[in-house]
Amino acid sequence: MVSISDVAHEAHVSKMTVSRVINHPEQVSPEIRKDVQRVISQLGYVQNRAGRALANNRHYNIAFILLDNVNEIEPYYAHLLMHLTDALREEGYTLEMRHDRNFDLTNVDGFLICGARHSDFTVLNNLPIPVVIYGTESGITSVDIDNQAGTLLATKLLISQHYQRLLFLGMDIDEPFATNREMGYRQAMREADREVEIYRLPNNEHIVQRFLQNDDLSANTGIIAATDRLGLGALRASRQQGLQVPDDIGIVGFDGIYIHQLAEQPLTTVQQPLKEIAGHMVQLLLAELSGKTVESVYVVPKLIHGETTK
Amino acid sequence: MVSISDVAHEAHVSKMTVSRVINHPEQVSPEIRKDVQRVISQLGYVQNRAGRALANNRHYNIAFILLDNVNEIEPYYAHLLMHLTDALREEGYTLEMRHDRNFDLTNVDGFLICGARHSDFTVLNNLPIPVVIYGTESGITSVDIDNQAGTLLATKLLISQHYQRLLFLGMDIDEPFATNREMGYRQAMREADREVEIYRLPNNEHIVQRFLQNDDLSANTGIIAATDRLGLGALRASRQQGLQVPDDIGIVGFDGIYIHQLAEQPLTTVQQPLKEIAGHMVQLLLAELSGKTVESVYVVPKLIHGETTK
DNA sequence: TTGTAAGCGTTATCAG
DNA sequence: CTGATAACGCTTACAA
């Protein structure tokens, strides 16, 4: 493996000059800089991360902690992970995968956290290294979609398509994203001067389907679902009752990764822009690492039109 | 952060003795060893990986490369990843996520690869660091399920449940796992002295469903699908034709992660034991890293009984 | 069995 | 703008 010394020797400069060309190029005279850069690419030199880590008292390693139950891991985590990986790699960082609540600080510069529940936040708030969560919680740097804006879009779409009864399938958990998705629906209904109708259920398509069996979904019902899995259950219940989607029933899901495509009819859904989210998470974390104060970021999600709305 | 020197000082020994207690405890006298261990846990000392990496010319970092198209990432990769993470972490290694074909050797001790296609193997064969793939390819250390044994099980199940027409829904790609799954079906049919009926399709439930619409699935058909997505398409086609599953039609999928549970009726499927696979992959890679010669491993998958067989 | 010295590759600091 | 030196935390080789 070619080291910085090899480059220095070959370029007839000191190791420090090479180091500077890499880290503070503006501090090196143009000619020498060019020369060193040429030698670097000629020799195929790449920084040794261990050496740099030791010198900088940094590890160039970020732990990505997925706190959801392994058996409940939704496909979109895999996509978020890939995007985080890319974003970190571009900045010279490694992503270390984890899924425990130890928050072990060993050999890690910061945490990216996903699936954290309310009960985790006291711990997270007191960690001595930077943390960015995917979700919403005051006091912690976070990136999230504007969940309320998402269901607002969804509900308005169904209103504009003249569905009469408009019901919301929410989640039976008390987490900000769940509450916010419900609020978007409430807001749209209020603005349209319509009566709300809300059910809160576990995030499982089979349960939803069974639940809606007992409900006469009569024609012209619009269903705003807090997740694609809930939407999928609604779709199945509708078809089971012999109703046509989207002619009789309109359905909009939420999340827009994988499940909406796998459904019997592709779901119209509010899509989480995971690449954008990952980018923000990494940028915020790196900013915190370099000592800056940062503000949480909220991204407005977009409607993806499938075949469950007109 | 507490370092090896702190421990050495506190325990009134040299750094080397501490190092030995960690790496070669048998070389240290019992009393001193105990004493040092006490100090270690008292101070909460943990090895700095960068220091160790630099001294050992190792990085303690393994790249996990997911070569499938990002948009086609199946949920089971997320699970495999989690298990690989755990297994590596237990051995003191970090998992670095990647999904490109650069095979960049920088700061990495080995590769774990997933989704490699035939065309990748010439490159993989000539890498200067250990590689373990998930899949089958002679010449490269690999871990795989015995795909043929899996479809053999699946086919035998449907035969034993007295389905008359037994058709195989295979994939339209020319990769060993696809071929082997087809061979398991062929073997079972040969042994039962039955005629084979094989269709090869893209791995997409919508396409399969459309394809089978034109086929009169008349009662008593058993369908062996090469993947759960294909099985899901078969399930939908059956229901669309008004046939009862599993009374009229029996279906067995393959993979057994996520999709089989999301289906309208939980699919009977051949499940990939991902935790076991991840464990083998890591063990083989570490063995190679320590210079041992190793043999590829094949794991026999198990049938999971859902509601698409009797 | 234990300790000393040197070095892994990099960068911060300070001197020129 | 450039270079010499020391230091980061750890381990190998050698000495005691």
Side-chain angles (χ1 to χ4, degrees):
Chain A
M1 270 286 118
V2 27
S3 82
I4 201 173
S5 307
D6 302 326
V7 177
H9 184 259
E10 186 74 14
H12 307 288
V13 295
S14 73
K15 291 195 291 178
M16 263 325 291
T17 301
V18 179
S19 175
R20 273 192 276 258
V21 168
I22 295 164
N23 300 301
H24 311 284
E26 74 284 358
Q27 295 178 11
V28 180
S29 73
E31 312 103 54
I32 296 196
R33 193 193 314 157
K34 265 204 156 175
D35 215 45
V36 170
Q37 278 161 341
R38 187 180 49 72
V39 174
I40 284 178
S41 63
Q42 221 167 47
L43 265 49
Y45 165 74
V46 280
Q47 264 187 324
N48 178 307
R49 210 196 287 122
R52 187 167 60 131
L54 211 46
N56 284 346
N57 193 25
R58 282 272 184 99
H59 296 93
Y60 297 95
N61 187 33
I62 303 293
F64 172 59
I65 315 185
L66 185 43
L67 289 176
D68 281 284
N69 192 318
V70 191
N71 302 316
E72 293 167 5
I73 289 170
E74 297 287 335
Y76 67 77
Y77 287 134
H79 290 252
L80 178 63
L81 172 68
M82 304 289 265
H83 291 302
L84 285 173
T85 302
D86 288 347
L88 283 171
R89 208 171 143 69
E90 250 171 52
E91 305 284 348
Y93 281 77
T94 262
L95 182 149
E96 178 177 325
M97 184 84 197
R98 297 206 195 155
H99 55 105
D100 53 59
R101 290 188 146 73
N102 298 334
F103 304 113
D104 171 9
L105 301 166
T106 316
N107 297 311
V108 154
D109 299 320
F111 288 125
L112 293 171
I113 296 179
C114 186
R117 301 274 135 153
H118 228 77
S119 51
D120 294 313
F121 289 115
T122 42
V123 183
L124 293 182
N125 255 319
N126 294 307
L127 253 28
I129 60 176
V131 176
V132 174
I133 63 163
Y134 178 31
T136 293
E137 183 73 19
S138 66
I140 296 190
T141 309
S142 54
V143 177
D144 206 350
I145 50 170
D146 186 333
N147 284 291
Q148 183 167 348
T151 39
L152 187 72
L153 280 174
T155 311
K156 282 188 169 168
L157 176 71
L158 291 180
I159 292 174
S160 76
Q161 296 191 346
H162 307 294
Y163 291 101
Q164 286 308 308
R165 179 183 170 201
L166 288 172
L167 64 88
F168 181 76
L169 291 178
M171 302 184 73
D172 63 350
I173 54 171
D174 184 29
E175 296 291 336
F177 80 93
T179 315
N180 289 333
R181 288 182 190 183
E182 187 174 309
M183 279 172 50
Y185 163 76
R186 284 179 183 279
Q187 184 189 339
M189 295 299 272
R190 194 182 330 113
E191 289 174 4
D193 206 21
R194 306 277 287 268
E195 291 275 322
V196 303
E197 183 181 356
I198 294 172
Y199 302 99
R200 300 195 186 90
L201 299 164
N203 187 28
N204 179 293
E205 61 286 350
H206 298 295
I207 293 174
V208 172
Q209 184 180 2
R210 243 174 284 135
F211 174 80
L212 289 179
Q213 272 171 11
N214 311 321
D215 188 302
D216 178 18
L217 287 174
S218 58
N220 245 337
T221 299
I223 301 177
I224 298 93
T227 72
D228 285 339
R229 290 187 75 152
L230 295 172
L232 180 57
L235 173 63
R236 287 178 183 167
S238 305
R239 291 163 66 113
Q240 200 173 16
Q241 293 187 22
L243 295 162
Q244 295 294 319
V245 177
D247 294 331
D248 302 329
I249 309 279
I251 301 170
V252 184
F254 206 118
D255 288 338
I257 317 286
Y258 198 79
I259 296 171
H260 69 122
Q261 293 172 327
L262 207 76
E264 292 90 316
Q265 295 173 237
L267 287 175
T268 295
T269 186
V270 180
Q271 189 162 52
Q272 308 211 31
L274 294 181
K275 183 169 182 182
E276 205 178 335
I277 288 164
H280 284 300
M281 290 180 75
V282 168
Q283 288 314 317
L284 290 186
L285 193 73
L286 296 189
E288 288 204 339
L289 270 172
S290 63
K292 293 176 193 138
T293 3
V294 298
E295 296 261 325
S296 295
V297 170
Y298 295 88
V299 179
V300 177
K302 288 195 187 67
L303 270 175
I304 301 290
H305 293 274
E307 297 173 10
T308 59
T309 50
K310 289 168 194 165
Chain B
M1 270 285 120
V2 28
S3 80
I4 201 173
S5 306
D6 301 325
V7 176
H9 184 259
E10 185 73 14
H12 308 288
V13 295
S14 73
K15 292 194 294 179
M16 261 324 291
T17 302
V18 179
S19 175
R20 273 191 277 256
V21 168
I22 294 165
N23 300 301
H24 312 283
E26 74 285 357
Q27 294 177 12
V28 181
S29 74
E31 311 104 56
I32 295 196
R33 192 194 312 156
K34 265 202 155 178
D35 216 45
V36 170
Q37 278 161 343
R38 187 181 49 73
V39 174
I40 284 177
S41 63
Q42 222 168 46
L43 266 48
Y45 165 74
V46 280
Q47 266 186 323
N48 177 307
R49 208 195 288 123
R52 189 168 58 131
L54 211 47
N56 285 346
N57 193 26
R58 281 270 184 100
H59 295 93
Y60 297 95
N61 186 34
I62 302 293
F64 172 59
I65 315 184
L66 185 44
L67 289 176
D68 281 284
N69 192 319
V70 192
N71 301 316
E72 293 168 4
I73 289 170
E74 297 288 333
Y76 67 78
Y77 287 133
H79 290 252
L80 179 63
L81 172 68
M82 303 290 264
H83 292 302
L84 285 172
T85 302
D86 288 347
L88 283 171
R89 206 172 146 70
E90 250 172 52
E91 305 284 349
Y93 282 78
T94 263
L95 181 148
E96 178 176 326
M97 184 83 199
R98 297 206 195 155
H99 56 105
D100 53 60
R101 290 189 147 73
N102 299 333
F103 304 113
D104 171 10
L105 302 164
T106 315
N107 297 312
V108 153
D109 299 320
F111 288 125
L112 292 171
I113 296 178
C114 186
R117 301 273 135 151
H118 227 79
S119 50
D120 294 313
F121 290 114
T122 42
V123 182
L124 293 182
N125 256 319
N126 294 308
L127 253 27
I129 61 177
V131 176
V132 174
I133 64 163
Y134 177 33
T136 295
E137 182 73 19
S138 66
I140 296 191
T141 309
S142 55
V143 176
D144 206 349
I145 50 170
D146 186 335
N147 284 292
Q148 183 167 347
T151 39
L152 187 72
L153 280 173
T155 311
K156 280 187 169 168
L157 176 71
L158 291 179
I159 291 174
S160 76
Q161 295 191 347
H162 308 294
Y163 291 100
Q164 287 309 308
R165 180 184 168 199
L166 289 172
L167 64 88
F168 181 76
L169 291 179
M171 301 183 73
D172 63 348
I173 54 172
D174 185 30
E175 295 291 336
F177 79 93
T179 316
N180 289 333
R181 289 182 189 184
E182 186 173 311
M183 278 172 51
Y185 162 76
R186 285 179 182 278
Q187 183 189 339
M189 295 298 272
R190 195 182 328 114
E191 288 174 4
D193 207 21
R194 305 278 287 270
E195 290 275 322
V196 303
E197 182 180 356
I198 294 172
Y199 303 99
R200 299 195 186 91
L201 298 163
N203 187 28
N204 179 293
E205 60 286 351
H206 298 293
I207 293 174
V208 173
Q209 183 179 3
R210 242 174 284 136
F211 174 80
L212 290 179
Q213 273 172 7
N214 310 323
D215 187 301
D216 179 17
L217 287 173
S218 57
N220 244 337
T221 298
I223 300 176
I224 297 93
T227 72
D228 285 339
R229 289 188 76 153
L230 295 172
L232 181 57
L235 173 63
R236 288 180 181 165
S238 305
R239 292 164 65 114
Q240 200 173 17
Q241 293 186 21
L243 295 162
Q244 295 293 319
V245 177
D247 294 332
D248 301 329
I249 309 280
I251 301 170
V252 184
F254 206 118
D255 287 337
I257 315 287
Y258 198 79
I259 296 172
H260 69 123
Q261 293 172 327
L262 207 78
E264 292 90 315
Q265 296 174 239
L267 288 175
T268 295
T269 186
V270 179
Q271 188 163 52
Q272 308 211 31
L274 293 182
K275 184 171 181 180
E276 204 178 336
I277 288 165
H280 284 300
M281 288 180 76
V282 169
Q283 288 314 317
L284 290 186
L285 192 73
L286 297 189
E288 288 203 339
L289 270 172
S290 63
K292 293 177 192 137
T293 4
V294 299
E295 297 260 322
S296 295
V297 171
Y298 294 89
V299 179
V300 177
K302 288 195 189 66
L303 270 175
I304 302 291
H305 293 274
E307 298 173 9
T308 57
T309 50
K310 290 170 192 165

